[in-house]
Amino acid sequence: MLKNKIFFITIAFAFLQTHLALGQLFKKTSDSYSSVGIGAGTSHYFGDLSPYRTFYYAIYSNVRWNGTINYTAQLNSKFAARASVTYLRLFGNDATYGGKLADGKSGINQQRIRNLHFKNDMLEFAVMGLYSFRPLDMNRRKNDGLQWSPYVGLGIGLVSNNPMAKDRITDNTGGISRDKVQSGWTALRNADTETDKKYSSITPVIPLSLGIKTMLKPNLILGIEGSLRFTFTDYLDDVSTGRYSTDALSYRANEDYFALTGKSRLESYMKATGNQAVGSLYPSVDAENHESRTGFRGSKRNDMYILTQVTLNYIIGSRVKCPPLGQ
């Protein structure tokens, strides 16, 4: 915990120093100001439980949320520096990925058999540089209508990483335990879920953003932004190239019930295996015929996520105003 705090304090200090340096580099103009903002939106995960080859399913499947606060220093009409803190949740579930549109797809069928899931509540601190293609006119009158300013952003940051999963919900006799359905989540980072697994609770992230903003009032800016977060880990979902272990949270293909809901997964399993016969074998008996217990859990490619956000920024720094002519 102390290590995490040190990382975030270091990044905050680095941003402060950068902001001071940029203030010296860029001379203030009539478009220079500071603002604080708040926003919220959606989060979309890409990784072993949401493959890149079917990225379009992640746009609507297993969508979760994010909330953010930020401080922005508008250095001149085109360039700005922004620091943000974002709390977000990522989620992945083999059982529901792609919804009905993914039914019958071979790659998705194998995921349905594998039956892994996770959630990851993450705290992100990022520093970005922003460039506006069409700067806002800070002196526009109220009756001039809205003026939209598209912009791009690039930066660097740190994000916490603590994937979790639900425990198995069957009791010692093989029957379903309702208490376990209602129980909490188990952290996976220190669990022995696959061989040779080792990853940190903090990972660097590179945000790449595209957005548009407009001034609603003289001191209020509305922004709409989508950003892709590149990470340096393959373990946002706790799944990579390691093999299954003997840990109860490692191999989930042989579960007869969905851990999240307590409902039977027999119908989904039968569709995924292509066995529609009456009296088909249950996953607890048949799973290893389709998903080897000694096989690899996932593939090697770093995970990433997308954030969409709608923000409101309030200008707190006084803008530099030009004196009237003749003075």
Side-chain angles (χ1 to χ4, degrees):
M1 194 68 180
L2 179 60
K3 182 179 178 182
N4 293 1
K5 291 181 179 179
I6 292 174
F7 268 112
F8 283 104
I9 291 174
T10 301
I11 290 296
F13 181 75
F15 168 75
L16 177 61
Q17 295 301 313
T18 301
H19 173 57
L20 293 175
L22 289 173
Q24 297 295 323
L25 181 63
F26 292 89
K27 293 182 178 180
K28 285 189 174 183
T29 69
S30 60
D31 298 300
S32 299
Y33 59 87
S34 298
S35 68
V36 292
I38 187 171
T42 62
S43 60
H44 311 258
Y45 143 81
F46 299 89
D48 290 285
L49 278 66
S50 181
Y52 294 100
R53 67 178 182 275
T54 54
F55 68 91
Y56 39 86
Y57 288 139
I59 302 301
Y60 67 87
S61 179
N62 299 332
V63 178
R64 289 301 183 266
W65 46 262
N66 77 82
T68 187
I69 57 175
N70 70 71
Y71 169 79
T72 302
Q74 190 70 39
L75 305 172
N76 56 36
S77 62
K78 291 189 175 183
F79 291 96
R82 183 178 71 192
S84 63
V85 177
T86 304
Y87 188 67
L88 66 127
R89 172 171 293 177
L90 299 183
F91 178 79
N93 189 0
D94 280 341
T96 58
Y97 178 67
K100 293 183 179 180
L101 291 179
D103 286 346
K105 304 291 174 50
S106 58
I108 305 302
N109 282 342
Q110 197 59 41
Q111 283 186 241
R112 301 279 170 86
I113 296 171
R114 183 178 60 177
N115 193 40
L116 295 176
H117 71 273
F118 83 99
K119 78 170 182 178
N120 199 341
D121 291 342
M122 306 160 68
L123 184 65
E124 177 197 270
F125 184 93
V127 178
M128 297 186 66
L130 307 175
Y131 176 81
S132 297
F133 293 101
R134 183 186 179 191
L136 290 174
D137 183 357
M138 308 302 292
N139 298 313
R140 287 173 67 86
R141 294 170 296 182
K142 292 182 179 180
N143 58 355
D144 285 342
L146 295 179
Q147 176 196 17
W148 295 94
S149 173
Y151 65 89
V152 294
L154 180 65
I156 191 169
L158 292 174
V159 64
S160 63
N161 184 27
N162 185 35
M164 308 179 81
K166 282 273 194 174
D167 203 351
R168 290 171 174 264
I169 60 173
T170 51
D171 56 28
N172 293 333
T173 66
I176 189 171
S177 170
R178 289 295 170 185
D179 291 337
K180 289 188 176 181
V181 175
Q182 302 299 327
S183 66
W185 294 72
T186 300
L188 299 173
R189 189 170 67 87
N190 294 321
D192 186 26
T193 51
E194 66 179 52
T195 59
D196 302 321
K197 186 184 79 171
K198 184 178 181 181
Y199 59 91
S200 173
S201 61
I202 294 179
T203 185
V205 61
I206 297 179
L208 176 63
S209 299
L210 178 64
I212 191 168
K213 60 184 178 181
T214 188
M215 184 162 287
L216 299 178
K217 294 182 177 181
N219 285 79
L220 192 63
I221 298 175
L222 169 70
I224 302 173
E225 180 175 306
S227 58
L228 183 62
R229 259 60 173 176
F230 298 93
T231 75
F232 294 83
T233 181
D234 190 26
Y235 283 107
L236 293 183
D237 47 22
D238 191 66
V239 179
S240 189
T241 57
R243 296 182 182 273
Y244 289 106
S245 70
T246 57
D247 190 277
L249 298 178
S250 176
Y251 186 82
R252 313 294 298 258
N254 60 354
E255 295 181 35
D256 293 332
Y257 302 93
F258 294 119
L260 292 174
T261 63
K263 296 180 179 180
S264 171
R265 61 181 291 253
L266 178 59
E267 182 180 354
S268 173
Y269 180 80
M270 289 171 61
K271 288 181 179 179
T273 58
N275 188 354
Q276 301 295 326
V278 177
S280 297
L281 296 176
Y282 281 81
S284 56
V285 178
D286 185 57
E288 291 192 46
N289 293 324
H290 303 279
E291 178 75 6
S292 173
R293 191 160 193 144
T294 60
F296 299 102
R297 297 181 80 220
S299 59
K300 181 60 179 177
R301 186 170 183 178
N302 286 344
D303 302 328
M304 66 175 63
Y305 54 98
I306 286 178
L307 300 180
T308 66
Q309 294 173 338
V310 177
T311 59
L312 282 175
N313 273 60
Y314 183 78
I315 297 176
I316 56 173
S318 55
R319 298 193 295 268
V320 177
K321 298 180 179 180
C322 297
L325 293 177
Q327 292 187 7

